[in-house]
Amino acid sequence: MNDIILLKLGELVLKGLNRRSFEQRLIANINRRIEGLGKFRIYSAQSIIYVEPLDSSCDMDETFEALKQVFGIISLSRAAVCEKSTEAILQTAKTYLADELNAAYSFKVETKRSDKSFPMTSIELSQYIGGALHEAFPHLAADMHEPEITVQVEVRDSSAYVHAGGVRGAGGLPVGSGGRAVTLLSGGIDSPVASYMMAKRGLRLIPIHFFSFPYTSELAKQKVIDLASVLTNYCGKLTVEIVPFTRIQEEIRAKCPEQYFTIIMRRFMMRISQIIADMNGCKAIITGENLGQVASQTMEAMAATEACCSLPVLRPLIGMDKEEIITLARKIVTYDLSILPYEDCCTVFTPRRPRTKPRLDEVEAVESALDVEALTKEAVAGITRVKA
Ligand code: ATP
Ligand code: MG
């Protein structure tokens, strides 16, 4: 049986003139996502992307699972390809969907016909196939409203396709179609979810991790790389920028009052992130911040944190409950890694009583004890890059 995967596109269908470049980007992303799974021909026609295996070595089950994670696809169907004749379509439906038809009690047939030269109308073809299937599977009742199985017949330009409906895709927009952003990846639960959400809106990501060796261990760093590696399933290839952060944290501890440690540390993160963003053509900084979750995530603290960078700071989790974030973390399979118990640089230097409503002028006054520029430069010079 000639098996193929049909992908329906989401919002990008609406995008008028951009549509062609969106489609091309999506096809490139799909190619990259399934390149290890066999040889395929991937092409678009009439608003559908076809993923056609070129030989029997293609792993269609794994390919189908992988494609469910690609942003920009709204639904996926596995279909059988056949010649555009009523008999071929009927035989294909009988054999390709035999298991489903045997297991169901009720069914209907739906036909889409973009090849208008086909000798039957959509309704006529549905009726013909429906009648013949009913003869072949007499236990099946026809049910136009809530059938257990809907046999879908698509008569397109090159061939006909038969399947039993699609499953939901990942939705969103193709990664890269909205430009690039840096994402601050900590190893906690929140930041991988924030990264996923913004990749879903079409951003290509550069993850940044601030690493405070030996206060945080090699294992903590590896955990972040492992998280990034899970994220590549959705975001495409990722290279994590590892920023040495120990000296900055030690300087803050030596020279600033304890209640300002977190906010000043976070301001350094933003400055360095902005520099990495500028070097890589990134137009925004993504964090996993969530209003009210911890002392540094009050409106005042966030305002003081972002005052030292000019790029927009995107906080997709800002209004979510922890429960909702955890549900999403489980769905994208980052949760179990995130809860591994390694220290993060934020927790190592947590003040006992942080300032929850810092004033920017106070923060700047406290910060003036530090050589901000030299510390920032030194950290940037020490960046290492690790492929996830
Ligand atoms: P998370 O669950 O993502 O660790 P959190 O609830 O622990 O977040 P914070 O520690 O205040 O909250 O961190 C807020 C955000 O700052 C994180 O979501 C992440 O985007 C960024 N961040 C914190 N620590 C680091 C780090 N060591 N490296 C990179 N980014 C960090
Ligand atoms: Mg954290």
Side-chain angles (χ1 to χ4, degrees):
M1 186 69 60
N2 232 338
D3 208 6
I4 195 172
I5 298 171
L6 307 180
L7 308 174
K8 307 232 156 110
L9 312 186
E11 289 167 61
L12 58 154
V13 173
L14 306 172
K15 298 257 167 182
L17 286 177
N18 285 337
R19 180 165 138 204
R20 189 78 204 122
S21 73
F22 273 50
E23 262 181 25
Q24 274 162 356
R25 190 177 289 278
L26 180 55
I27 288 175
N29 291 351
I30 290 169
N31 256 312
R32 232 174 283 135
R33 184 66 181 81
I34 62 175
E35 71 191 349
L37 300 174
K39 272 188 123 182
F40 296 91
R41 186 161 90 92
I42 303 171
Y43 55 98
S44 74
Q46 299 168 312
S47 302
I48 291 214
I49 291 181
Y50 296 76
V51 179
E52 190 183 312
L54 289 180
D55 57 44
S56 58
S57 73
C58 293
D59 186 331
M60 293 299 275
D61 292 337
E62 230 185 293
T63 302
F64 196 71
E65 290 309 307
L67 291 172
K68 280 190 199 164
Q69 299 175 323
V70 176
F71 294 130
I73 297 169
I74 200 157
S75 83
L76 310 81
S77 332
R78 239 173 115 166
V81 190
C82 64
E83 186 194 306
K84 290 195 291 184
S85 74
T86 48
E87 275 326 295
I89 293 170
L90 176 60
Q91 282 315 317
T92 304
K94 276 187 191 167
T95 44
Y96 186 65
L97 300 179
D99 290 347
E100 281 101 325
L101 291 168
N102 276 319
Y105 292 104
S106 59
F107 85 118
K108 76 169 172 183
V109 179
E110 257 177 26
T111 302
K112 283 201 197 93
R113 193 185 57 127
S114 54
D115 171 10
K116 300 298 177 199
S117 68
F118 191 78
M120 283 185 184
T121 67
S122 298
I123 293 175
E124 285 165 356
L125 185 56
S126 292
Q127 282 171 347
Y128 172 76
I129 302 285
L133 286 178
H134 186 59
E135 271 173 33
F137 300 85
H139 70 285
L140 277 178
D143 181 342
M144 294 304 121
H145 303 294
E146 282 182 16
E148 248 186 291
I149 174 172
T150 301
V151 175
Q152 313 250 5
V153 177
E154 305 192 20
V155 184
R156 297 183 171 274
D157 285 350
S158 52
S159 307
Y161 303 89
V162 177
H163 60 91
V167 302
R168 259 171 97 111
L173 300 167
V175 165
S177 62
R180 297 186 199 197
V182 292
T183 185
L184 278 68
L185 202 55
S186 66
I189 295 169
D190 300 339
S191 44
V193 175
S195 305
Y196 170 90
M197 286 174 74
M198 295 321 299
K200 181 171 182 181
R201 294 313 301 165
L203 300 188
R204 181 163 297 287
L205 305 181
I206 298 187
I208 302 176
H209 180 63
F210 296 92
F211 183 47
S212 295
F213 192 77
Y215 300 102
T216 59
S217 65
E218 278 299 325
L219 284 174
K221 179 166 96 180
Q222 189 55 45
K223 171 185 173 182
V224 171
I225 294 161
D226 292 345
L227 278 168
S229 152
V230 174
L231 288 173
T232 59
N233 288 330
Y234 318 97
C235 306
K237 295 208 165 82
L238 294 173
T239 300
V240 187
E241 309 260 329
I242 309 277
V243 182
F245 210 47
T246 314
R247 189 145 137 72
I248 289 175
Q249 289 199 294
E250 286 177 342
E251 279 285 297
I252 298 173
R253 189 167 58 177
K255 297 187 178 153
C256 301
E258 184 184 313
Q259 54 179 340
Y260 291 97
F261 282 3
T262 308
I263 185 94
I264 291 179
M265 178 192 78
R266 297 195 56 75
R267 281 164 61 84
F268 272 100
M269 288 187 179
M270 298 316 271
R271 281 189 200 98
I272 295 167
S273 298
Q274 166 110 28
I275 293 171
I276 298 173
D278 290 343
M279 292 191 304
N280 291 282
C282 295
K283 302 292 182 218
I285 300 172
I286 301 163
T287 77
E289 286 164 306
N290 176 246
L291 190 62
Q293 197 181 83
V294 289
S296 61
Q297 297 179 14
T298 62
M299 286 197 290
E300 291 80 357
M302 284 190 266
T305 307
E306 70 180 27
C308 61
C309 62
S310 59
L311 284 177
V313 179
L314 307 181
R315 302 178 173 94
L317 311 187
I318 196 71
M320 289 170 76
D321 287 345
K322 196 72 193 182
E323 278 297 309
E324 297 170 317
I325 299 170
I326 289 176
T327 302
L328 196 44
R330 287 189 196 278
K331 183 182 141 191
I332 66 173
V333 205
T334 53
Y335 183 76
D336 289 340
L337 270 173
S338 286
I339 59 173
L340 292 176
Y342 307 125
E343 293 287 318
D344 181 56
C345 68
C346 292
T347 40
V348 175
F349 291 88
T350 304
R352 277 157 297 182
R353 302 191 59 232
R355 263 309 246 129
T356 52
K357 297 190 173 178
R359 283 191 11 215
L360 184 57
D361 55 345
E362 287 171 8
V363 174
E364 286 172 346
V366 167
E367 214 172 58
S368 66
L370 305 170
D371 187 342
V372 170
E373 205 186 311
L375 285 169
T376 305
K377 263 198 183 147
E378 186 188 322
V380 171
I383 290 175
T384 52
R385 295 182 181 81
V386 183
K387 284 203 167 70

